Tab-separated table of all heavy atoms in Angstrom:
chain	number	residue	atom	x	y	z
A	39	HIS	N	73.567	124.382	72.439
A	39	HIS	CA	73.306	123.612	73.653
A	39	HIS	C	73.098	124.561	74.831
A	39	HIS	O	74.001	125.316	75.175
A	39	HIS	CB	74.473	122.664	73.956
A	39	HIS	CG	74.819	121.775	72.815
A	39	HIS	ND1	74.020	120.728	72.414
A	39	HIS	CD2	75.878	121.784	71.964
A	39	HIS	CE1	74.569	120.127	71.381
A	39	HIS	NE2	75.699	120.748	71.086
A	40	THR	N	71.925	124.523	75.424
A	40	THR	CA	71.602	125.408	76.534
A	40	THR	C	71.746	124.656	77.847
A	40	THR	O	70.924	123.784	78.174
A	40	THR	CB	70.167	125.948	76.400
A	40	THR	OG1	70.040	126.570	75.130
A	40	THR	CG2	69.848	126.929	77.504
A	41	ILE	N	72.812	124.976	78.589
A	41	ILE	CA	73.076	124.387	79.900
A	41	ILE	C	73.550	125.526	80.794
A	41	ILE	O	74.427	126.299	80.400
A	41	ILE	CB	74.174	123.298	79.830
A	41	ILE	CG1	73.859	122.264	78.751
A	41	ILE	CG2	74.353	122.633	81.188
A	41	ILE	CD1	75.006	121.318	78.449
A	42	SER	N	72.992	125.632	81.984
A	42	SER	CA	73.388	126.719	82.872
A	42	SER	C	74.811	126.512	83.386
A	42	SER	O	75.304	125.382	83.469
A	42	SER	CB	72.428	126.824	84.060
A	42	SER	OG	72.635	125.743	84.953
A	43	ALA	N	75.458	127.615	83.748
A	43	ALA	CA	76.810	127.533	84.316
A	43	ALA	C	76.787	126.764	85.633
A	43	ALA	O	77.712	125.997	85.922
A	43	ALA	CB	77.377	128.935	84.516
A	44	ALA	N	75.720	126.927	86.417
A	44	ALA	CA	75.613	126.209	87.692
A	44	ALA	C	75.518	124.698	87.463
A	44	ALA	O	76.158	123.916	88.173
A	44	ALA	CB	74.399	126.700	88.482
A	45	GLN	N	74.743	124.284	86.464
A	45	GLN	CA	74.632	122.855	86.162
A	45	GLN	C	75.961	122.307	85.645
A	45	GLN	O	76.378	121.220	86.026
A	45	GLN	CB	73.535	122.600	85.123
A	45	GLN	CG	73.369	121.129	84.768
A	45	GLN	CD	72.952	120.286	85.964
A	45	GLN	OE1	71.913	120.537	86.557
A	45	GLN	NE2	73.760	119.312	86.336
A	46	LEU	N	76.626	123.066	84.787
A	46	LEU	CA	77.924	122.631	84.288
A	46	LEU	C	78.920	122.461	85.427
A	46	LEU	O	79.662	121.488	85.476
A	46	LEU	CB	78.462	123.628	83.260
A	46	LEU	CG	77.808	123.570	81.888
A	46	LEU	CD1	78.195	124.787	81.057
A	46	LEU	CD2	78.184	122.284	81.169
A	47	LYS	N	78.919	123.400	86.371
A	47	LYS	CA	79.844	123.297	87.505
A	47	LYS	C	79.558	122.040	88.320
A	47	LYS	O	80.480	121.326	88.723
A	47	LYS	CB	79.774	124.543	88.380
A	47	LYS	CG	80.833	124.548	89.461
A	47	LYS	CD	80.951	125.888	90.129
A	47	LYS	CE	82.080	125.868	91.135
A	47	LYS	NZ	82.315	127.186	91.693
A	48	ARG	N	78.281	121.737	88.549
A	48	ARG	CA	77.934	120.501	89.270
A	48	ARG	C	78.430	119.273	88.509
A	48	ARG	O	78.987	118.345	89.101
A	48	ARG	CB	76.422	120.422	89.498
A	48	ARG	CG	75.911	121.356	90.574
A	48	ARG	CD	74.465	121.078	90.934
A	48	ARG	NE	73.537	121.303	89.834
A	48	ARG	CZ	72.943	122.458	89.568
A	48	ARG	NH1	73.188	123.522	90.311
A	48	ARG	NH2	72.093	122.562	88.555
A	49	ASP	N	78.249	119.278	87.199
A	49	ASP	CA	78.703	118.155	86.379
A	49	ASP	C	80.222	118.025	86.410
A	49	ASP	O	80.761	116.919	86.492
A	49	ASP	CB	78.229	118.318	84.931
A	49	ASP	CG	76.718	118.215	84.778
A	49	ASP	OD1	76.057	117.648	85.676
A	49	ASP	OD2	76.202	118.711	83.764
A	50	LEU	N	80.920	119.148	86.320
A	50	LEU	CA	82.382	119.128	86.340
A	50	LEU	C	82.907	118.618	87.682
A	50	LEU	O	83.867	117.838	87.730
A	50	LEU	CB	82.934	120.530	86.054
A	50	LEU	CG	82.614	121.116	84.674
A	50	LEU	CD1	83.024	122.583	84.611
A	50	LEU	CD2	83.273	120.330	83.566
A	51	LEU	N	82.281	119.054	88.762
A	51	LEU	CA	82.689	118.607	90.099
A	51	LEU	C	82.447	117.110	90.299
A	51	LEU	O	83.206	116.444	91.001
A	51	LEU	CB	81.929	119.389	91.175
A	51	LEU	CG	82.389	120.807	91.446
A	51	LEU	CD1	81.343	121.552	92.268
A	51	LEU	CD2	83.736	120.814	92.151
A	52	ALA	N	81.418	116.591	89.670
A	52	ALA	CA	81.014	115.203	89.901
A	52	ALA	C	81.791	114.192	89.059
A	52	ALA	O	81.749	113.001	89.349
A	52	ALA	CB	79.517	115.051	89.614
A	53	HIS	N	82.518	114.649	88.051
A	53	HIS	CA	83.182	113.711	87.143
A	53	HIS	C	84.698	113.840	87.265
A	53	HIS	O	85.246	114.933	87.170
A	53	HIS	CB	82.747	113.994	85.705
A	53	HIS	CG	82.966	112.856	84.783
A	53	HIS	ND1	84.218	112.444	84.404
A	53	HIS	CD2	82.095	112.034	84.168
A	53	HIS	CE1	84.105	111.421	83.587
A	53	HIS	NE2	82.817	111.149	83.426
A	54	ARG	N	85.366	112.719	87.440
A	54	ARG	CA	86.817	112.719	87.671
A	54	ARG	C	87.641	113.119	86.450
A	54	ARG	O	88.822	113.422	86.574
A	54	ARG	CB	87.264	111.345	88.143
A	54	ARG	CG	86.721	111.008	89.516
A	54	ARG	CD	87.146	109.656	89.975
A	54	ARG	NE	88.612	109.549	89.944
A	54	ARG	CZ	89.286	108.467	90.238
A	54	ARG	NH1	88.653	107.374	90.584
A	54	ARG	NH2	90.600	108.450	90.180
A	55	ALA	N	87.050	113.122	85.279
A	55	ALA	CA	87.800	113.488	84.077
A	55	ALA	C	88.115	114.981	84.016
A	55	ALA	O	89.034	115.398	83.325
A	55	ALA	CB	87.029	113.090	82.825
A	56	PHE	N	87.356	115.782	84.776
A	56	PHE	CA	87.542	117.227	84.755
A	56	PHE	C	88.440	117.662	85.901
A	56	PHE	O	88.319	117.179	87.020
A	56	PHE	CB	86.188	117.940	84.846
A	56	PHE	CG	85.274	117.591	83.703
A	56	PHE	CD1	84.225	116.708	83.886
A	56	PHE	CD2	85.473	118.126	82.447
A	56	PHE	CE1	83.381	116.371	82.841
A	56	PHE	CE2	84.643	117.794	81.392
A	56	PHE	CZ	83.598	116.920	81.584
A	57	VAL	N	89.329	118.602	85.607
A	57	VAL	CA	90.301	119.077	86.587
A	57	VAL	C	90.102	120.573	86.793
A	57	VAL	O	90.031	121.338	85.825
A	57	VAL	CB	91.743	118.806	86.102
A	57	VAL	CG1	92.751	119.305	87.111
A	57	VAL	CG2	91.931	117.321	85.834
A	58	ARG	N	90.047	120.954	88.068
A	58	ARG	CA	89.852	122.365	88.410
A	58	ARG	C	91.195	123.011	88.718
A	58	ARG	O	92.021	122.461	89.434
A	58	ARG	CB	88.935	122.469	89.633
A	58	ARG	CG	88.561	123.872	89.986
A	58	ARG	CD	87.612	123.870	91.152
A	58	ARG	NE	87.182	125.213	91.455
A	58	ARG	CZ	86.381	125.510	92.445
A	58	ARG	NH1	85.921	124.544	93.243
A	58	ARG	NH2	86.027	126.745	92.662
A	59	ALA	N	91.389	124.211	88.167
A	59	ALA	CA	92.586	125.006	88.417
A	59	ALA	C	92.175	126.262	89.174
A	59	ALA	O	90.984	126.577	89.263
A	59	ALA	CB	93.246	125.366	87.089
A	60	PRO	N	93.132	126.978	89.733
A	60	PRO	CA	92.787	128.235	90.421
A	60	PRO	C	91.990	129.174	89.512
A	60	PRO	O	92.181	129.185	88.294
A	60	PRO	CB	94.158	128.832	90.760
A	60	PRO	CG	95.076	127.656	90.836
A	60	PRO	CD	94.563	126.690	89.791
A	61	GLY	N	91.098	129.922	90.113
A	61	GLY	CA	90.268	130.851	89.355
A	61	GLY	C	89.025	130.199	88.782
A	61	GLY	O	88.411	130.737	87.879
Side-chain angles (χ1 to χ4, degrees):
H39 306 288
T40 305
I41 308 169
S42 72
Q45 180 62 59
L46 285 167
K47 187 168 184 174
R48 286 190 296 271
D49 293 340
L50 297 171
L51 283 166
H53 200 291
R54 293 179 56 183
F56 300 104
V57 180
R58 186 177 183 182

